[in-house]
């Protein structure tokens, strides 16, 4: 979820952010057919999403239609910038638009206008709760709560039935869903998970996080799993668990090179991925199939995640990092 | 005025100085958490848990204290930490240059940020509060932009060489960060500067009354610039320490250090208005802050209340400190 992280910075530091507002359009422009617009972000996560778009774009072109990627270069002004992208796509005669609904208040009215013109809209990556309201036909992405539930059930099934969910942003609603889901998943299988909320004085301080984890697992020696809400917190928690001399299993949301290597080497039990490549691939092909042939899956919420990365599939995932699918 | 400042800091007065209040504050919170946290808090692992946090905060709090004694503030330490760590990670993790060079690059970047802070402040006469707030944002944006441009991500992995790891990123006895040793050495150095050298007197004099300090021939601008170079380098050092320890550095790291360092310094008895403060006080203030912020996790209480308890206990610590200082001041006056 590098996306949400960056969005947060953008809001907090808007004053200082250098305004590099710009739009990065890759128009694979051949003449003719339906125009399929896919709107997205521009960070590491979306680089992978875009690779999924590129793969789906081959089919779109083979069908005689035109796939076009419009990407934000930053998230400093996310609502208005997305509105501009939507207006660009509409003005250029889009037949279908796939897009993340990050700022429902800003994007919603534009999406409604596009739908009113007969343009097919598919939401992906973000916007599941509001997609119906604005007339989008399907949502393709992850669900934080479900991701937490799956992770919790996995921990319990591996015998790790007393987990803590380390949360250094306890006031953030979507991060809380991860921890709530984890607790629900553990409960489903007879375990439990408690949220370890860190005070604001610890945010972004790996040492404070490491030693808070150490404190919690020293106090309650029955804790046998430590789950973190981000990859950097995971790096910190690993040190805390080691220093406590604990054998607690490590788990995390999101992927990073360190995490994948730890999973491969058996130092981390599991990581939860939302599979950005699949989001790009499915969003593009769904938008295209619906616009060109009226084909739409019966399930209008298609979850690309959670995918659990464990020792069993870590090697495959690492290979995917090198070739751009992860 | 200069004479007055000088006489206030001879050795005899120093012993009578009211760090006592800060000490009481530290003892109060330690006893509080020893009772609430029990043995896990009082054994070696418990000591390490708060000493580790204190050491990194302390490495920054000491130079920040010097800046505050001289009457300035540094709000840019947060993004400077990230700048130091990310620079090291990009140089040595992304480009695979040997880690010692990455460390030097990180520290140099921190020193440069401090130098720019200092130069802008003395040349423009703008309040350091405003200038360093601006650089805090600007450096954050610069590091974010460059990091994404170069590596495509906001968190960079780095595996430090054994030598670098041994100095900056090892847990001694499996528990204690080497940063504790670095902190101790830095504390001795800063204490020496404050007590034994003319620069110490200069710093107090500048914080007491800058116009008079200038009039007596103290190179005020030079001293202020160097103080900012000091805090910039120390902040970058903490970034390097965390990158060595956790094998990664991220652009968002360090933000919380801005206020934490000021809190530690103020709890340690340094006046926000400048001209007054001591190394022992700052060390005690840093320890108090670290004990309060980490102790809560040894109590087993619902951590949702951690921030509230932290805020409350810090207020108590400052109040205790202030009360004792007032008493010490009034008795000191009677003697004098």
């Amino acid at each position: 979820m590098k996306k949400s992280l960056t969005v947060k910075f953008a809001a907090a530091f808007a004053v200082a952010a250098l305004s590099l507002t710009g739009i990065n359009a890759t128009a694979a422009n051949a003449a003719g057919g339906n125009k399929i617009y896919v709107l997205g972000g521009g960070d590491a996560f979306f680089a992978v999403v875009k690779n999924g778009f590129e793969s789906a774009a081959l089919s779109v072109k083979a069908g005689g239609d035109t796939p076009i990627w419009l990407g934000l270069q930053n998230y400093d002004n996310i609502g208005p910038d997305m509105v501009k992208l939507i207006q660009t796509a509409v003005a250029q005669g889009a037949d279908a638009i796939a897009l993340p609904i990050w700022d429902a208040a800003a994007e919603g009215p534009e999406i409604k206008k596009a739908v009113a013109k007969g343009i097919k809209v598919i939401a992906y990556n973000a916007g599941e709760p509001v997609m119906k309201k604005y007339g989008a036909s399907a949502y393709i992405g992850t669900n934080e709560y479900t991701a937490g539930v799956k992770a919790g059930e996995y921990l319990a099934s591996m015998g790790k039935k007393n987990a803590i969910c380390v949360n250094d942003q306890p006031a953030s609603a979507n991060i809380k869903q991860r921890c709530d889901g984890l607790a629900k998943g553990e409960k489903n299988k007879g375990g439990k998970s408690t949220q370890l909320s860190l005070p604001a004085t610890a945010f972004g301080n790996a040492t404070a996080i490491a030693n808070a984890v150490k404190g919690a697992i020293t106090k309650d020696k029955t804790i046998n799993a430590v789950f973190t809400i981000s990859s950097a917190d995971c790096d910190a928690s690993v040190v805390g668990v080691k220093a406590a001399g604990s054998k607690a299993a490590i788990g995390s949301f999101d992927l990073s090179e360190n995490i994948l290597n730890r999973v491969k080497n058996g130092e981390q039990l599991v990581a939860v991925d939302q599979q950005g490549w699949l989001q790009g691939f499915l969003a593009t092909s769904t938008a295209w199939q619906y616009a060109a042939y009226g084909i739409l899956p019966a399930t209008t919420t298609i979850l690309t995640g959670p995918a659990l990365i464990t020792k069993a599939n870590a090697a495959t995932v690492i290979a995917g990092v090198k070739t751009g699918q992860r | 005025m200069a004479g007055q400042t000088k006489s206030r800091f001879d050795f005899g007065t120093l012993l009578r100085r009211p760090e006592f209040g800060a000490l009481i504050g530290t003892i109060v919170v330690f006893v509080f958490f020893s009772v609430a946290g029990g043995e896990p808090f009082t054994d070696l692992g418990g000591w390490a848990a708060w000493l580790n946090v204190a050491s990194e905060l302390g490495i920054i709090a000491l130079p920040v204290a010097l800046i505050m004694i001289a009457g300035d503030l540094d709000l840019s330490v947060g993004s400077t930490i990230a700048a130091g760590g990310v620079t090291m990670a990009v140089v040595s993790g992304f480009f695979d240059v040997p880690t010692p060079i990455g460390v030097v690059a990180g520290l140099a970047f921190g020193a440069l940020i401090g130098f720019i802070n200092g130069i802008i402040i003395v040349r423009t006469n703008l309040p350091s509060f405003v200038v360093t707030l601006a650089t805090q944002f600007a450096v954050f944006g610069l590091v974010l932009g460059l990091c994404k441009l170069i590596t495509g991500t906001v968190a960079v992995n780095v595996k430090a060489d054994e030598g670098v790891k041994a100095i900056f990123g090892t847990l001694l006895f499996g528990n204690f960060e080497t940063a504790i040793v670095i902190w101790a050495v830095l504390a001795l150095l800063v204490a020496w500067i404050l007590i034994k050298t003319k620069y110490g007197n200069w710093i107090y004099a500048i914080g007491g009354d800058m116009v008079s300090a200038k009039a007596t021939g103290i190179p005020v601008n030079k001293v202020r610039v160097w103080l900012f170079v000091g805090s910039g380098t120390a902040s970058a050092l903490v970034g390097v320490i965390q990158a060595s320890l956790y094998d990664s550095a991220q652009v968002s790291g360090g933000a919380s250090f801005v206020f934490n360092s000021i809190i530690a310094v103020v709890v340690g008895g340094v006046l926000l208005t400048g001209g007054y403060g001591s190394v022992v006080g700052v060390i005690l203030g840093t320890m108090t802050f670290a004990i309060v912020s980490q102790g809560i996790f040894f109590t087993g209480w619902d951590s949702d209340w951690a921030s509230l308890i932290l805020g409350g206990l810090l207020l108590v610590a400052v109040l205790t400190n202030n009360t004792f200082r007032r008493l010490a001041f009034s008795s000191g006056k009677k003697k004098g």
Side-chain angles (χ1 to χ4, degrees), chain B residues 140-152:
Chain B
F140 174 83
L142 181 72
V143 174
L144 175 65
L146 284 179
C147 185
K148 276 185 66 179
L149 197 69
I150 296 169
T151 67

Side-chain angles (χ1 to χ4, degrees), chain A residues 269-292:
Chain A
L269 187 64
V270 62
V272 182
D273 184 19
Q274 60 169 311
Q275 306 197 105
W277 189 90
L278 192 57
Q279 289 178 13
F281 186 86
L282 287 182
T284 308
S285 54
T286 307
W288 166 60
Q289 288 156 12
Y290 193 33

Side-chain angles (χ1 to χ4, degrees), chain A residues 124-137:
Chain A
Y124 81 96
N125 181 266
E128 187 189 3
V130 295
M131 64 112 171
K132 287 241 161 65
K133 185 172 150 197
Y134 299 123
S137 308

Side-chain angles (χ1 to χ4, degrees), chain B residues 226-260:
Chain B
W226 276 107
L227 290 180
F228 279 100
V229 170
S231 75
T233 315
S235 305
L237 176 61
V238 170
V240 165
I241 288 170
Q242 291 205 343
S244 309
L245 199 53
Y246 304 105
D247 299 334
S248 69
Q250 53 169 348
V251 175
S252 71
S256 55
F257 276 89
V258 176
F259 287 110
N260 294 359

Side-chain angles (χ1 to χ4, degrees), chain A residues 24-30 37 50 53 61 66-70 92:
Chain A
N24 167 20
T26 319
N29 240 336
Y37 280 80
K50 195 181 171 207
F53 158 82
K61 281 180 212 159
T66 312
I68 299 136
W69 173 271
L70 296 181
Q92 293 179 356

Side-chain angles (χ1 to χ4, degrees), chain A residues 251-255 259 263 268-273 307-310:
Chain A
S252 68
F253 290 96
D254 299 345
L255 297 187
I259 286 177
V263 172
Q268 176 169 344
L269 187 64
V270 62
V272 182
D273 184 19
L308 299 186
I309 316 295
T310 63

